[in-house]
Amino acid sequence: MNETILKAENLSKRFESGRHKVRALRGVNMEVKRGEFISIRGPSGSGKTTLLTMIGCLDTPTEGKLLLDGEDVSSLPESGLCDIRRRKIGFVFQTFNLLPYLSALENVELPMETMEPSPEKRRKKAMELLGSVGLRKRMSHRPNKLSAGEQQRVAIARALANDPSIILADEPTGNLDTRTKQGIMGLLSRLNAERGTTIIMVTHDPAVCNSTDRMLWLSDGRILKKERKGFNLIRKKLMCPRCHCDIRPEFDECPGCKARLEPAGGPDSQSRKIEGSAGKSDPRR
């Protein structure tokens, strides 16, 4: 996971409001590796949505450079930005943004119409994606017949439709109750670990942040230097569940606390436990 998929260099954005100029972003520098699950947290007005808009190629910066998959997208024309959005970016929104007159299956098929000419292949892939998010039996239902959690699962499947390089999630759990929120975060974590999908998520919820790999803080248009690791690294076998030291999947022993590490649930498991201390393996307890 060493390849850089996203790099922002001195990214700035100014808006004019009458006689006033509003600086939404002030020299943001950040780097995201392929396969990471990143959360960005900050107060209202800190620039979170503006930053996500820049990364999602929905707008261009006033100053600075944004590299996506090695390509400078900072000054592309709208036609170029549209092509990048279609091929490389999947979006998940707080309000789901599903088309109410289409079924779950048809909503997932829709983004593929400009990429995959075969209706049969589109239908097959949409069915596979809905199955992967646990909606195999709800494919024919329209959004108003689905719960909020089910609608968000459809939205996640839709975001994966064109095999994007990055999924951008804007408060994806903001309209969900606690139990449903945990289910959606578990689903995103699993997709990240199993598919290697890079996810960048904006949220105000500290518990949601803790479920990612890395947490960044945005304040007054700037990313602060303080940064924290998240518990999703335990699922990916990159953090010791006892002392939170960095580890590698092939490690048998934590280099920090020297605890013996064993796969939890067999060799195909996505997490590790400490031998003889199952009750202490989860640092959130």
Side-chain angles (χ1 to χ4, degrees):
M1 196 175 64
N2 296 320
E3 182 183 353
T4 298
I5 191 171
L6 177 80
K7 187 173 185 180
E9 299 177 352
N10 197 34
L11 206 65
S12 299
K13 184 66 178 180
R14 291 190 299 271
F15 298 99
E16 292 191 11
S17 177
R19 297 181 179 179
H20 302 284
K21 290 184 178 180
V22 178
R23 297 190 66 186
L25 296 179
R26 301 167 181 259
V28 168
N29 293 285
M30 64 181 291
E31 189 170 323
V32 178
K33 303 296 184 183
R34 190 177 300 277
E36 277 196 293
F37 188 177
I38 305 295
S39 56
I40 301 172
R41 186 182 171 201
S44 296
S46 61
K48 301 189 302 296
T49 298
T50 302
L51 179 57
L52 211 64
T53 300
M54 297 292 108
I55 296 172
C57 295
L58 294 168
D59 199 358
T60 53
T62 306
E63 297 172 5
K65 185 182 291 187
L66 183 68
L67 300 174
L68 178 59
D69 249 353
E71 181 177 0
D72 186 355
V73 300
S74 312
S75 55
L76 287 179
E78 176 54 33
S79 58
L81 294 175
C82 181
D83 183 59
I84 292 289
R85 291 194 298 268
R86 183 170 58 245
R87 292 187 295 109
K88 293 182 177 291
I89 301 171
F91 295 92
V92 179
F93 303 96
Q94 180 177 353
T95 53
F96 320 135
N97 286 8
L98 301 176
L99 295 180
Y101 51 86
L102 297 182
S103 67
L105 186 62
E106 291 165 338
N107 266 284
V108 178
E109 285 183 284
L110 191 61
M112 292 185 265
E113 289 188 354
T114 57
M115 300 288 287
E116 174 53 68
S118 169
E120 292 78 14
K121 289 183 179 180
R122 293 199 299 264
R123 177 61 53 98
K124 181 180 179 182
K125 186 171 184 179
M127 291 174 69
E128 290 173 350
L129 287 170
L130 285 170
S132 73
V133 299
L135 292 178
R136 194 176 303 278
K137 297 182 179 180
R138 308 284 281 172
M139 296 182 187
S140 62
H141 290 66
R142 291 186 178 183
N144 65 348
K145 299 297 182 182
L146 299 172
S147 69
E150 288 171 335
Q151 290 184 61
Q152 193 61 292
R153 286 172 181 267
V154 175
I156 291 169
R158 180 185 59 188
L160 293 166
N162 287 329
D163 300 313
S165 300
I166 295 179
I167 284 184
L168 301 180
D170 188 4
E171 297 280 6
T173 61
N175 287 339
L176 306 177
D177 60 69
T178 300
R179 183 176 179 180
T180 306
K181 179 193 305 182
Q182 291 172 346
I184 292 298
M185 287 307 301
L187 171 61
L188 289 173
S189 296
R190 178 172 61 80
L191 292 172
N192 170 252
E194 294 178 1
R195 297 173 63 103
T197 305
T198 305
I199 303 174
I200 301 175
M201 177 178 64
V202 162
T203 181
H204 67 279
D205 190 327
V208 168
C209 285
N210 284 334
S211 298
T212 64
D213 292 356
R214 198 156 51 97
M215 295 164 268
L216 306 178
W217 274 264
L218 194 65
S219 178
D220 196 25
R222 296 185 176 92
I223 289 184
L224 304 183
K225 290 185 177 181
K226 62 178 183 178
E227 181 179 309
R228 285 177 53 194
K229 293 187 291 185
F231 295 132
N232 195 51
L233 291 174
I234 294 175
R235 175 190 287 270
K236 296 161 78 170
K237 305 179 186 178
L238 297 175
M239 184 169 75
C240 173
R242 173 179 283 176
C243 71
H244 302 178
C245 178
D246 292 333
I247 60 175
R248 299 297 305 168
E250 64 271 16
F251 284 7
D252 293 320
E253 182 181 274
C254 172
C257 65
K258 305 302 180 184
R260 178 147 182 91
L261 301 167
E262 288 204 351
D268 296 328
S269 172
Q270 292 296 327
S271 60
R272 284 190 171 228
K273 66 179 180 180
I274 296 177
E275 185 178 36
S277 60
K280 299 179 182 179
S281 63
D282 188 347
R284 287 168 286 187
R285 291 184 179 180

